[in-house]
Amino acid sequence: MRRGFLFFMTSMHFSLKRVAALAIFSTAALSQAAEPEPSSAVTAADLYLRTLVNHEEKAVTDLNSYLRPDRLRSGRSADYADFSALKKADQEFPAEVTAMALPLFPEAQRSSLKKPIEKLMQAVQQARQKSECKALTASEAETGAHGVLNTQVNFQCLLVKTPETWAQGIQRMARTKQDAAKTVAELESLQQAYAGPASYKYEGVFPLSTVPQDQNVAWRNDFAREVVDAMFREF
């Protein structure tokens, strides 16, 4: 059970049942010779970030609209993200993490720790969704294998930074085998830390690609969630 929980922590449960979406930009028809402008890659990255990090309803709608022509052309489902599914996953997240965490603690303590862990995870989720992210600049697009056009978009996020991550904290408390009252107090302290301001500046790179020869009109990243997971793994 411990191994399963540690893997669950490392892979960032925020991927859990989450899909995402983000704001729209214009979709001018793309010919074989025409390629998306680098500036539109910045806009695309901004949409992905607002979707995956903040779960904005408008972003979900707009990103779906932006990606839909290419998705339909390639035989995929019309929508990239389902806002209702995102919100459902948000609601279920604290209880699901709690169910994974409780078995790490002595059975006699579990009933007193359940609510504090759930409250901590609610604070974690709220902290991440209040992050402020902004795509900045895109590198010059380069053509790779099979005619795929690639670019790298630099971005910044203001995040809530705590003395230790929720995963580190829960694991530490379980290892020390301390009494329930001390664990509850430390869970509440960590919860308060996650309620702090989003003021820590994180800098990252968001890769995007498109295939002009397939008449793509959008920049996309089919593994965009991995970029966000890698960022939040530190927080």
Side-chain angles (χ1 to χ4, degrees), residues 19-24 46-66 68 79-87 90 129:
V19 222
L22 290 147
I24 192 171
D46 216 42
L47 294 178
Y48 273 107
L49 289 167
R50 287 169 46 209
T51 297
L52 293 165
V53 173
N54 307 109
H55 298 173
E56 294 181 14
E57 183 173 9
K58 184 178 188 304
V60 173
T61 300
D62 289 348
L63 189 59
N64 281 339
S65 297
Y66 171 66
R68 188 173 295 123
D79 289 343
Y80 171 77
D82 182 338
F83 181 72
S84 295
L86 277 175
K87 301 315 291 181
D90 287 345
Q129 292 185 0

Side-chain angles (χ1 to χ4, degrees), residues 144-205:
H146 310 293
V148 177
L149 199 63
N150 301 296
T151 187
Q152 306 285 326
V153 179
N154 296 311
F155 71 91
Q156 290 181 349
C157 290
L158 291 178
L159 308 174
V160 175
K161 186 170 177 61
T162 55
E164 61 183 347
T165 69
W166 60 273
Q168 292 168 342
I170 289 175
Q171 292 176 62
R172 176 186 55 76
M173 295 173 209
R175 281 196 309 270
T176 56
K177 302 186 183 303
Q178 58 198 25
D179 62 64
K182 181 173 175 56
T183 299
V184 168
E186 292 187 0
L187 288 168
E188 290 176 346
S189 177
L190 191 52
Q191 175 190 337
Q192 291 172 4
Y194 273 105
S199 57
Y200 179 84
K201 182 185 292 186
Y202 174 93
E203 297 182 344
V205 175

Side-chain angles (χ1 to χ4, degrees), residues 22-42:
L22 290 147
I24 192 171
F25 25 127
S26 86
T27 55
L30 182 66
S31 69
Q32 191 92 355
E35 298 176 348
E37 293 296 326
S39 60
S40 70
V42 173

